[in-house]
Amino acid sequence: MSSPSMLKKALMTINKQEDISTKNYLLPNFTNGFPGFRESINTTTYTAKYAMVGKKKVMEGGNEEEEKNSSSVGKKKKKKGEKKAKRPRFAFQTRSQVDILDDGYRWRKYGQKAVKHNKFPRSYYRCTHQGCNVKKQVQRLSKDEGIVVTTYEGIHTHPTEKNSDNFEQILSQMRIYTRS
DNA sequence: CGGATTTGACCCGCGC
DNA sequence: GCGCGGGTCAAATCCG
């Protein structure tokens, strides 16, 4: 089963080995963020912030360090509207034949991009529910094409549409690569 | 016919 | 300032 510490470790591992993106990752409140985890982690809200792959500042530790919008950090006016607030993110790996994991939500693909050092493209999905701007990325690793990395960003503001029984499978497929 | 996917262009932050 | 790399848009297309 998956414990928060395992997820945490997985997250760190992923961040170290893969360059998934350029942002901080943090584990969202799973209870309302990721229904699939409801069964396995229904306790405390779990937040942890990590540095990303490259440099950038390292926000170690698991306290919600909310850097606040310090006045010095001149956030420019968001032209397009849209809150650019940092969103909870977390990633995990599964060993799967299919790229699209059925997690109970409906996703609309809105982009696909090739990333460097990877032969497989990365796909971008958005939750189709109106007003729910949760996104996820799916990418298969070139070093081991049996592995699919899924990165979620945001918290769903609505329940799942269909029951996510399949998610138990996904959970059971989760692998923590602490050692190769 | 309506919603999802495809796919190149566009955009934007960052590093040189 | 410019180019690169990653993320998003959106029109055309696909597909049930």
Side-chain angles (χ1 to χ4, degrees), chain A residues 91 124 139:
Chain A
Y124 302 90
Q139 176 173 14

Side-chain angles (χ1 to χ4, degrees), chain A residues 2-178:
Chain A
S2 304
S3 66
S5 61
M6 287 175 68
L7 288 170
K8 188 175 170 185
K9 190 166 289 191
L11 192 62
M12 296 179 66
T13 307
I14 291 171
N15 282 346
K16 282 213 180 73
Q17 291 181 347
E18 305 300 331
D19 64 359
I20 288 180
S21 184
T22 62
K23 278 111 186 182
N24 297 326
Y25 292 82
L26 71 125
L27 299 175
N29 178 353
F30 283 120
T31 38
N32 51 11
F34 206 1
F37 282 109
R38 208 175 281 141
E39 300 85 21
S40 53
I41 305 172
N42 59 358
T43 49
T44 58
T45 65
Y46 208 74
T47 61
K49 212 176 288 185
Y50 293 95
M52 43 154 297
V53 200
K55 354 16 220 333
K56 260 341 192 187
K57 61 190 64 181
V58 178
M59 290 185 180
E60 200 65 64
N63 45 4
E64 48 263 73
E65 166 119 8
E66 222 60 52
E67 56 199 295
K68 237 41 187 176
N69 32 9
S70 53
S71 53
S72 60
V73 182
K75 302 304 188 25
K76 57 217 36 238
K77 312 336 174 71
K78 48 287 297 302
K79 52 171 65 163
K80 210 52 192 314
E82 297 321 300
K83 48 312 211 60
K84 207 42 158 254
K86 72 179 69 174
R87 296 235 188 79
R89 272 194 169 213
F90 86 101
F92 63 89
Q93 303 182 353
T94 56
R95 181 175 288 279
S96 170
Q97 305 296 327
V98 293
D99 290 351
I100 294 88
L101 307 176
D102 185 2
D103 51 10
Y105 290 105
R106 298 189 54 217
W107 301 92
R108 185 187 76 256
K109 188 174 186 175
Y110 68 90
Q112 174 170 312
K113 193 78 172 181
V115 289
K116 275 215 133 180
H117 306 124
N118 256 314
K119 59 191 276 195
F120 297 104
R122 175 182 299 164
S123 298
Y124 302 90
Y125 297 88
R126 200 190 302 273
C127 183
T128 57
H129 188 86
Q130 214 261 330
C132 179
N133 45 4
V134 175
K135 297 181 234 175
K136 77 170 177 180
Q137 305 179 353
V138 176
Q139 176 173 14
R140 190 172 289 274
L141 298 187
S142 57
K143 70 161 46 174
D144 184 350
E145 53 184 88
I147 306 288
V148 173
V149 179
T150 306
T151 304
Y152 286 85
E153 172 178 339
I155 304 293
H156 288 281
T157 61
H158 59 96
T160 48
E161 300 190 354
K162 44 184 186 176
N163 65 356
S164 55
D165 287 344
N166 308 4
F167 210 90
E168 304 237 342
Q169 291 184 349
I170 299 177
L171 267 182
S172 67
Q173 288 173 354
M174 282 188 65
R175 293 291 182 272
I176 319 295
Y177 294 96
T178 53

